[in-house]
């Protein structure tokens, strides 16, 4: 594969390699990983940020590209950017915030980018009600 970013549920030769990799990351964060083991993993090219962090940053970069092109961060739910499901990712961020599961750093980055926490459909619905009231 050329990297050590093992998906969490990956099984290699019947062993839960993805789970083991995440355990090593967790142990390092808690200063519970022996230096010898940390050194061996680093020599192998081990990345201490998990694959989710890497992919989150990549998706955030796509969101910024979308904003540059479109002038806003209201990505339609089914929108795909460079083969990635950006609309789905945006809705996942909104859902995580509602459930208080979004890391503060990520929430701050999204807000700095001009991210709107109400989904595009809710915003559009509100706008349509305003037009309806104008019409009335």
């Amino acid at each position: 594969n050329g990297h050590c970013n093992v998906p969490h549920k990956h099984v290699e030769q019947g062993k839960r390699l993805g789970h083991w990799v995440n355990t090593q990351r967790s142990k390092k964060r808690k200063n519970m990983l022996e230096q010898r083991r940390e050194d061996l993993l680093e020599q192998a090219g081990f990345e201490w940020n998990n694959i989710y962090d890497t992919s989150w940053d990549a998706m955030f970069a796509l969101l910024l590209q979308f904003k540059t092109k479109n002038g806003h961060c209201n990505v339609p739910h089914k929108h795909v950017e460079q083969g990635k499901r950006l609309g789905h990712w945006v809705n996942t961020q909104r859902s995580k915030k509602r459930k208080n599961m979004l890391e503060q750093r990520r929430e701050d980055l999204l807000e700095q980018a001009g991210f709107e926490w109400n989904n595009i459909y809710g915003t559009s619905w509100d706008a349509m009600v305003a037009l309806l009231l104008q019409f009335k």
Side-chain angles (χ1 to χ4, degrees), residues 21-48:
V21 162
N22 284 337
T23 300
Q24 304 318 299
R25 288 184 177 119
S26 177
K27 284 184 174 187
K28 182 178 191 269
R29 277 193 306 274
K30 296 174 184 174
N31 292 318
M32 296 173 62
L33 185 64
E34 293 175 27
Q35 188 62 49
R36 178 185 69 82
R37 291 181 174 185
E38 183 178 333
D39 293 343
L40 285 171
L41 289 171
E42 286 186 5
Q43 288 171 11
F46 195 86
E47 294 184 32
W48 296 106

